[in-house]
Amino acid sequence: MKNLFVKIAAVGLLMLAPAVAQAAEGYSTANVNMRAGPSTRYPAVAVIPAGSSVEIRGCLSDVNWCDVEFYGGRGWVSGQYVQALYQQRRVYVGPQYYRPLGIPMIRFSVDNYWDRYYRNRDFYRDRDRWSRGPDYYYRDRDNRDRDRDRDNRDRDRNWRERDGDRDGRDRDRDWRDDNQRDDRQRGDRQRGERQRDDRRGDDRRPDRRDFDCRPGDPSCDE
């Protein structure tokens, strides 16, 4: 029974060894972004200079993107920017070379991958949206931007309407003030005219002596 357990453990180690050891050394062919996922729409986490050595940890089977390690950091790079040494020559990493180069085919999961490598990154807080795919994330962000723009336009329209109402009220108040000022000015002119008429009437009023003088009164001779 003890020997049976030893054999099972040995078989298990043999099965795990290739998976752990499978990887390939590659070289970047340009200054390329290492991204948080297998798409140019995922956030960039580093820039790999042209000619730098990277460790290829695995590649996707459906699209030509590979999970690479660069100076202790992990991320994804398109296979069209990574070459590997195959039969004494460098070839661009593609599905036809995965098996000969010892590169495992893997899957990508935002939840597992980001939990492992990007917990301290700013974009990690949006992991739930990114987990639905970059297209969904950007569509959701575009919708939020449109909603925000619409809200801003609504606020601008409301402000313009309020400003228009205020301007209208100001014009009405100015118009009333002008009318009241005109009324006051007309009233002042009318009062001034009446006062002038009264003064002219006073000037035309006969002297009191004309009424008090009687025939034979000496004052009439003055």
Side-chain angles (χ1 to χ4, degrees), residues 83-95:
Q83 288 182 334
L85 190 63
Y86 176 68
Q87 294 181 351
Q88 305 303 316
R89 62 189 178 91
R90 288 187 178 183
V91 296
Y92 283 96
V93 175

Side-chain angles (χ1 to χ4, degrees), residues 42-62:
Y42 282 103
V45 296
V47 176
I48 303 176
S52 299
S53 175
V54 297
E55 193 74 14
I56 304 172
R57 293 297 181 179
C59 298
L60 300 178
S61 60
D62 52 345

Side-chain angles (χ1 to χ4, degrees), residues 36 42-46 110 114-115 117-130 137 144:
Y42 282 103
V45 296
V110 166
W114 286 25
D115 283 345
Y117 301 115
Y118 301 136
R119 284 183 175 272
N120 62 336
R121 296 281 186 159
D122 291 339
F123 55 78
Y124 182 81
R125 62 175 176 265
D126 295 326
R127 186 193 62 170
D128 292 339
R129 288 203 299 271
W130 280 107
Y137 172 81
R144 293 197 305 272

